[in-house]
Amino acid sequence: MPPEPRITTLPTQVSLDKQAVYDDAHGVGSGHSGVTAQQSSLSTHDERMLRWVFSAYTVTATFWLLFATAVGVLMAYKFGAPDFARGEWLTFGRLRPIHTNATFYGWASLALVGLAYYVAARSSRTRLYSPKLAWIGLVLFNVAAVAGTIALDLGYNNGNLEYREWPGPIRLIFLGALLVTAWNLIGTVARRSTHDIYLSNWYTVGGVLWTCIIAIVATLPWYQYGLGQVSVSGFYMHNAVGMWFTPLALGIFYYALPKLLNRPIYSYALGVFAFWTNLVFYPIIGAHHFLFSPLPWWLQTTAIVFSVAMLVPVWGGSANFLLTMRGRMRDMTHSYPLMFIFVGVIGYLIGSTQGTFEAFRSLQEVWHMTNFTVGHSHLTMYGFVTFSIWGGLYVLLPLGTGKEPGPLGLALHFWMAVVGSFIYIVSLSVGGTLQGLDWKHGLPFIQSVADMQSYWVWRGVGGSLMFLSHVVFGWNVWRMTYGAGTKATPDDSNPAARAGT
Ligand code: HEM
Ligand code: HEM
């Protein structure tokens, strides 16, 4: 029996109209399951199209996760045994951008766009604006990622511009994929049959629009030299994570969490407030990547001030999610999808708060350029973004395809990923701090390498566990899409009550 739906949002915080949107979007208080109510609003053909698009984006994204993290594990082993896997195609300098670009643009981007399409169509109670455009986008994203990977491995790259290492023409293909996606998402939301635009779509449409702007700014050549290039690099790097992955992942929370718990989000107003403050504060903080550089001091200080201001949307957003979950923590003992989302919310809260501290000059003195930053990258891109994607997929993919993974697959995936990433992040955070202190105390560089050795071995152990969890995730995705997964109960709108029991 699904638990009794409880409307917990204060009536003063939302208009009755918005409450109806929650009810539409989540089946809350409708007396029906959300699944049945929503599916009936689309024709069988539209349902099939949406399912195909969602499944295809998820399956290709999963291939990229497996490939990119196999490369990640190989690199991790090289820190312990530098002579392992030699040859020019396997040098660290080539593998590193292959790993970062494939995780960013192959894995996280494709998975989030697939989820965003599903959420846009479902919460707007309409069909996809154009399944054809979704396919074109899928092909462009994948062509860019394959061509980019091959180019990097052959030694063709765009220099040291982080996360922009793919050669220019390939980045144009990626930009094309983004534009197509923006058009299709906006088109879908524009044809909604609900009155309001549901909060999730503010985040996902906002994210894709901002990213088109950011990608264009990062592509135009005229100001990309000297210090101009450094500022654009900071702008691009931080906005890639802050205005692309972050809003898309948050948009998924705003849809999947109410769906899972069968109750509306704690506060719509707080969600809107976090959206606008995120938009105002995030774009100005890129220069915190280049503190103590020749960039103007005032620009660096501005970046630090706004890094502190980021606590507002981060704490506001996290509180909204945690308050939506309040009183339901016990559900976590029998719902892996909820546990994935919970880890994602905590990853967002802790990772971003850590980022604020990292931006202070006094702490940058120790942590800048060290492995501590790599720990922060994985706490956020893995602990937050990747766990959010997994949570979203485990909640929504069974609703789309009618197939669920088995409980053992969910358990193995969750525990290996949590334990593995915990080892990875803690070892690099501790090791990175020691590394920075060694540098600060003026010890010979080789001393810091020797001091890091055991921490790098632990990172290899954690990374191997993470990779194994991805193999299990691949199996789960197969069961939820083209394989023979357990049949999802069609009239049960509360997967928290069943998945992973
Ligand atoms: C309030 C939010 C955040 C702040 C203030 C912040 C701050 C920082 C700072 C200061 C650095 C530079 C470290 C250095 O170079 O020494 C950094 C790096 C990084 N951050 Fe964050 N962070 C935040 C949230 C996030 C989120 C949510 C993500 C991912 C979705 C993320 C991903 C990264 C990555 C990937 C890097 C490494 C960039 C590189 O390659 O140099 N951060 N962050
Ligand atoms: C099995 C899992 C993984 C392993 C073993 C792994 C390993 C590594 C290694 C060895 C590096 C190079 C660090 C350095 O230059 O010192 C790295 C960098 C990076 N990885 Fe991963 N990784 C994994 C998963 C992921 C995932 C899923 C993402 C994103 C969704 C990701 C994003 C990044 C980023 C952004 C960097 C650059 C870090 C920085 O410059 O601060 N990794 N990873």
Side-chain angles (χ1 to χ4, degrees):
M1 269 285 282
E4 197 62 29
R6 282 197 286 154
I7 311 293
T8 51
T9 313
L10 296 174
T12 49
Q13 287 171 325
V14 289
S15 66
L16 281 178
D17 212 18
K18 290 206 179 82
Q19 186 65 53
V21 176
Y22 298 136
D23 296 350
D24 276 348
H26 310 301
V28 174
S30 63
H32 302 290
S33 82
V35 190
T36 322
Q38 288 166 18
Q39 279 175 351
S40 62
S41 64
L42 295 188
S43 74
T44 320
H45 175 261
D46 296 337
E47 277 293 337
R48 205 173 54 235
M49 285 297 148
L50 186 59
R51 190 164 61 232
W52 276 1
V53 167
F54 191 16
S55 300
Y57 272 79
T58 307
V59 167
T60 48
T62 307
F63 274 115
W64 283 109
L65 176 70
L66 284 166
F67 166 73
T69 53
V71 173
V73 173
L74 177 58
M75 286 196 298
Y77 291 166
K78 278 174 175 276
F79 278 80
D83 288 336
F84 177 66
R86 298 169 78 157
E88 58 182 310
W89 292 354
L90 295 177
T91 51
F92 184 79
R94 293 190 190 185
L95 293 182
R96 191 183 192 280
I98 288 179
H99 169 74
T100 51
N101 285 277
T103 48
F104 270 32
Y105 308 124
W107 158 240
S109 299
L110 276 168
L112 285 168
V113 169
L115 277 160
Y117 276 140
Y118 184 81
V119 169
R122 281 278 185 258
S123 61
S124 305
R125 307 198 67 179
T126 186
R127 63 180 177 82
L128 268 188
Y129 171 71
S130 164
K132 200 166 155 198
L133 280 182
W135 287 115
I136 294 174
L138 180 72
V139 171
L140 290 178
F141 275 124
N142 277 293
V143 166
V146 171
T149 302
I150 295 174
L152 290 178
D153 212 27
L154 294 178
Y156 298 102
N157 58 56
N158 195 28
N160 61 352
L161 304 180
E162 211 174 5
Y163 312 135
R164 290 185 289 162
E165 292 95 341
W166 288 348
I170 298 177
R171 283 188 296 124
L172 285 180
I173 301 177
F174 186 80
L175 180 58
L178 275 180
L179 291 170
V180 165
T181 307
W183 188 257
N184 208 7
L185 266 182
I186 293 170
T188 305
V189 175
R191 56 182 305 145
R192 68 191 178 281
S193 60
T194 54
H195 182 265
D196 283 331
I197 296 176
Y198 184 61
L199 197 48
S200 292
N201 300 317
W202 284 62
Y203 278 87
T204 54
V205 171
V208 85
L209 275 180
W210 296 326
T211 308
C212 288
I213 297 169
I214 291 154
I216 291 170
V217 169
T219 305
L220 297 177
W222 306 302
Y223 36 76
Q224 308 246 14
Y225 50 84
L227 284 180
Q229 190 189 56
V230 178
S231 333
V232 172
S233 257
F235 175 76
Y236 180 75
M237 274 154 74
H238 215 93
N239 286 322
V241 297
M243 305 301 264
W244 175 231
F245 300 120
T246 300
L248 265 80
L250 297 181
I252 305 308
F253 283 154
Y254 278 114
Y255 184 77
L257 205 50
K259 192 99 191 120
L260 190 63
L261 296 173
N262 221 355
R263 57 159 60 153
I265 202 77
Y266 173 74
S267 166
Y268 193 94
L270 190 53
V272 173
F273 176 71
F275 173 87
W276 287 112
T277 45
N278 197 69
L279 175 59
V280 172
F281 300 151
Y282 231 128
I284 323 172
I285 65 179
H288 67 205
H289 288 262
F290 298 104
L291 298 186
F292 305 114
S293 74
L295 280 182
W297 200 251
W298 63 263
L299 186 63
Q300 300 181 28
T301 306
T302 310
I304 298 171
V305 170
F306 281 93
S307 299
V308 176
M310 273 306 296
L311 291 177
V312 174
V314 167
W315 288 3
S318 309
N320 213 2
F321 302 128
L322 293 174
L323 287 168
T324 305
M325 292 186 212
R326 79 193 185 286
R328 299 290 290 276
M329 290 298 175
R330 273 207 316 183
D331 284 347
M332 260 191 265
T333 53
H334 55 83
S335 169
Y336 279 106
L338 188 55
M339 285 158 78
F340 276 105
I341 293 189
F342 181 72
V343 173
V345 172
I346 297 298
Y348 176 56
L349 175 63
I350 298 182
S352 301
T353 306
Q354 178 194 55
T356 296
F357 283 97
E358 239 176 307
F360 292 133
R361 286 197 176 93
S362 51
L363 291 167
Q364 274 277 299
E365 256 175 39
V366 178
W367 284 331
H368 191 41
M369 305 283 200
T370 67
N371 272 237
F372 187 92
T373 309
V374 183
H376 168 72
S377 308
H378 288 81
L379 175 54
T380 48
M381 282 306 295
Y382 199 88
F384 161 42
V385 175
T386 298
F387 270 85
S388 315
I389 295 172
W390 285 331
L393 286 177
Y394 284 133
V395 178
L396 302 179
L397 204 51
L399 296 180
T401 62
K403 294 181 202 168
E404 285 178 344
L408 181 64
L410 279 169
L412 281 175
H413 177 198
F414 180 79
W415 288 112
M416 286 197 293
V418 165
V419 174
S421 52
F422 183 79
I423 296 175
Y424 186 123
I425 293 160
V426 170
S427 58
L428 288 194
S429 305
V430 175
T433 307
L434 295 178
Q435 193 182 23
L437 288 173
D438 281 355
W439 295 348
K440 202 165 178 253
H441 294 145
L443 298 181
F445 182 75
I446 196 65
Q447 180 64 47
S448 66
V449 177
D451 287 347
M452 276 304 292
Q453 270 306 316
S454 56
Y455 298 100
W456 280 327
V457 171
W458 276 110
R459 190 254 299 269
V461 173
S464 306
L465 268 179
M466 288 151 78
F467 179 71
L468 284 179
S469 85
H470 304 165
V471 176
V472 178
F473 168 65
W475 171 242
N476 291 342
V477 166
W478 179 249
R479 283 176 59 99
M480 288 188 286
T481 51
Y482 304 108
T486 318
K487 216 169 167 343
T489 324
D491 60 353
D492 182 352
S493 68
N494 184 9
R498 56 186 164 80
T501 44

